[in-house]
Amino acid sequence: MEFNRKMTKHKYIHLFSGKVTQFHRALIDVLTREENGFDKAEHLFVTVNKEAYEELKETANIVWAVGETKLTAKVINECAKKCDWLFIHNLSCAPIEVLKIKNTARKKIIWRTWGSDA
């Protein structure tokens, strides 16, 4: 598993799987504003979509999973190694992939459904 830059340990990783939407921008904005009570240094955003990375790289601490085009257990398991809590904002992977998520990773996952993945 390769990322476009070295991933360091963070308290929170937010995993995005799709194209950039206004939702992504709004969420990043909320989570990186000190006046909202968040420490932006604690948050890392990870995407499997190169276009999303290119669009968001100037606005957030974001990493791209090189060569990945969709969310897989491999991506989830790797990200879980680098955080205390892993927010998955759209669990858009195949059911077989969900079964491949390691138990150590499952304990860290906060799955935030937004409708399409419910």
Side-chain angles (χ1 to χ4, degrees):
M1 172 104 257
E2 181 184 348
F3 295 93
N4 68 310
R5 65 181 171 88
K6 184 178 178 171
M7 282 181 51
T8 58
K9 180 89 172 180
H10 281 77
K11 188 170 186 177
Y12 309 105
I13 290 181
H14 300 268
L15 189 53
F16 297 136
S17 60
K19 296 178 181 177
V20 172
T21 64
Q22 289 306 102
F23 163 76
H24 291 115
R25 289 186 188 285
L27 182 65
I28 289 168
D29 184 54
V30 166
L31 295 173
T32 57
R33 286 182 180 235
E34 289 182 22
E35 61 265 22
N36 290 337
F38 295 108
D39 179 355
K40 70 179 185 179
E42 292 181 331
H43 297 267
L44 176 68
F45 302 90
V46 177
T47 183
V48 294
N49 184 295
K50 184 178 182 183
E51 291 77 23
Y53 169 76
E54 291 295 333
E55 215 172 301
L56 295 170
K57 69 183 179 184
E58 300 300 322
T59 62
N61 183 15
I62 190 164
V63 175
W64 169 48
V66 177
E68 302 297 326
T69 58
K70 59 185 176 180
L71 189 59
T72 64
K74 181 170 76 171
V75 174
I76 293 168
N77 290 330
E78 276 303 307
C79 288
K81 292 177 189 177
K82 298 291 186 178
C83 66
D84 296 328
W85 296 103
L86 179 61
F87 286 86
I88 300 178
H89 290 282
N90 184 356
L91 189 59
S92 61
C93 58
I96 191 70
E97 289 298 314
V98 175
L99 295 173
K100 295 177 188 176
I101 299 171
K102 295 179 180 179
N103 284 336
T104 54
R106 289 178 188 192
K107 294 175 184 177
K108 297 179 178 188
I109 293 173
I110 298 170
W111 173 27
R112 179 60 184 109
T113 62
W114 297 104
S116 64
D117 59 340

